[in-house]
Amino acid sequence: MNADDLPTLRDELEAHGLWANKGLGQHFLLDLNITRRIARAAGDIAGKPVIEVGPGPGGLTRALLEAGADPLIVIEKDERFLPLLEPLIEWSGGRLRIVQGDALDADETALAGGKRAAVISNLPYNVGTPLLVKWLKADAWRGDMTLMFQKEVAQRIVAKPGSDAYGRLAVLAQARCECRLEFTVPARAFTPPPKIASAIVRLTDRADPYPDLSALERVTAAAFGQRRKMLRAALRSLTPDAEPLLRAAGIEPTARAEEIDQAGFRRLTDAWRTKA
Ligand code: SAM
């Protein structure tokens, strides 16, 4: 099957009188070369379950079906796009399932039917980070993730200690996944163009995921909540006894959050969980 045989996305949008709704973070990729490149970045998905959030007019959806996703479960909040997506069910030989609703409320375990599903999406800007945190916490249903974010968010996910971009999101994402920035996509590639560029991040499960992401969230919220302060002061919102906790974790109480690596945050969170 070849998506080039389908009516173009631009023609489809025009035929249905559809326009982008900024409130829903709608910036579309209408060029199949780009959506195919995103599908390729996800590796071999032929015959594998995939979840895509926010298919919109279906550019990435077409590329994922072409690459053989089976089933491809798409979750779209904006019902205006259903008439553009529905013809893809027959075109894909029934591999596409369309769910209309808010992805933040989706029960992915049920949607994936007990199987592990890859997540591949060009995410809406306004809910990209909460969706990522939801998926990082996910249990057995979640496979590898290949996700498009605003470039700044992508840089915050892959950031290393000592950089300005390093913060909560890097520590949380890297606690569960190996995170790699694959490529950037300029703003002009989207219709309508957003103000800033976007980037694809690939997140694959790490061999030693940190088990208690909620505890890590609490610790990183306190540590980076006042990132310029020394940790002994910044962590006071977490515990009045920050100094012994830091010493137990082998961290200098005068250190700052941005200097602490993944292993350090794991030790600190372990120390806090034991004490709490
Ligand atoms: N995948 C399409 C593409 O690449 O052209 C559209 C991407 S657009 C950046 C984001 C899409 O997510 C829009 O179609 C929007 O309606 C949808 N969306 C926004 N918030 C959502 C939510 N909470 N749950 C599901 N879909 C959502």
Side-chain angles (χ1 to χ4, degrees):
M1 64 195 290
N2 189 332
D4 294 320
D5 299 337
L6 293 164
T8 69
L9 291 158
R10 214 171 275 283
D11 286 351
E12 286 279 81
L13 285 168
E14 225 178 87
H16 289 83
L18 290 176
W19 62 96
N21 174 343
K22 283 215 173 130
L24 286 173
Q26 292 178 351
H27 298 279
F28 306 129
L29 288 169
L30 304 182
D31 180 350
L32 264 176
N33 292 315
I34 297 178
T35 55
R36 282 176 175 143
R37 193 168 170 210
I38 300 173
R40 275 199 304 276
D44 182 9
I45 57 167
K48 297 184 187 153
V50 174
I51 292 180
E52 182 200 356
V53 164
L60 182 57
T61 314
R62 291 178 178 198
L64 295 173
L65 289 170
E66 206 179 53
D70 187 12
L72 172 61
I73 301 145
V74 297
I75 309 169
E76 173 57 60
K77 194 169 174 181
D78 189 342
E79 62 187 11
R80 296 179 307 154
F81 292 109
L82 300 186
L84 273 72
L85 297 168
E86 276 156 3
L88 301 179
I89 297 177
E90 197 184 324
W91 178 71
S92 65
R95 285 181 289 126
L96 177 65
R97 278 185 48 207
I98 304 169
V99 178
Q100 200 249 315
D102 190 328
L104 285 167
D105 304 328
D107 176 355
E108 291 91 347
T109 306
L111 290 177
K115 292 196 181 138
R116 249 165 83 87
V119 188
I120 309 172
S121 299
N122 172 14
L123 291 175
Y125 292 159
N126 40 355
V127 288
T129 310
L131 279 172
L132 174 62
V133 174
K134 178 187 180 200
W135 294 332
L136 288 169
K137 286 181 180 163
D139 46 28
W141 73 265
R142 182 182 57 72
D144 296 343
M145 300 186 276
T146 308
L147 305 173
M148 180 175 267
F149 296 92
Q150 286 167 279
K151 193 173 165 192
E152 280 90 335
V153 178
Q155 285 167 333
R156 279 171 38 214
I157 294 168
V158 303
K160 295 292 170 213
S163 64
D164 282 347
Y166 186 64
R168 283 185 73 189
L169 200 55
V171 179
L172 292 179
Q174 293 169 31
R176 285 286 162 93
C177 297
E178 309 284 350
C179 307
R180 201 173 67 209
L181 200 151
E182 293 284 335
F183 57 89
T184 57
V185 178
R188 65 171 184 280
F190 297 84
T191 306
K195 289 201 178 70
I196 31 190
S198 293
I200 286 283
V201 181
R202 180 135 163 86
L203 301 104
T204 49
D205 278 339
R206 56 184 285 167
D208 57 344
Y210 190 70
D212 191 345
L213 216 67
S214 297
L216 193 60
E217 262 188 305
R218 295 273 308 274
V219 171
T220 51
F224 287 102
Q226 302 177 316
R227 61 184 289 143
R228 302 284 166 222
K229 283 201 175 166
M230 292 177 189
L231 280 170
R232 69 173 172 220
L235 291 183
R236 270 194 210 122
S237 60
L238 191 69
T239 166
D241 249 358
E243 216 160 312
L245 203 67
L246 286 158
R247 292 206 190 284
I251 296 171
E252 281 300 321
T254 53
R256 291 176 169 77
E258 62 194 31
E259 299 162 29
I260 309 303
D261 64 7
Q262 175 68 218
F265 272 110
R266 287 173 172 230
R267 291 195 307 274
L268 184 58
T269 309
D270 282 343
W272 178 67
R273 287 162 78 212
T274 319
K275 202 177 149 290

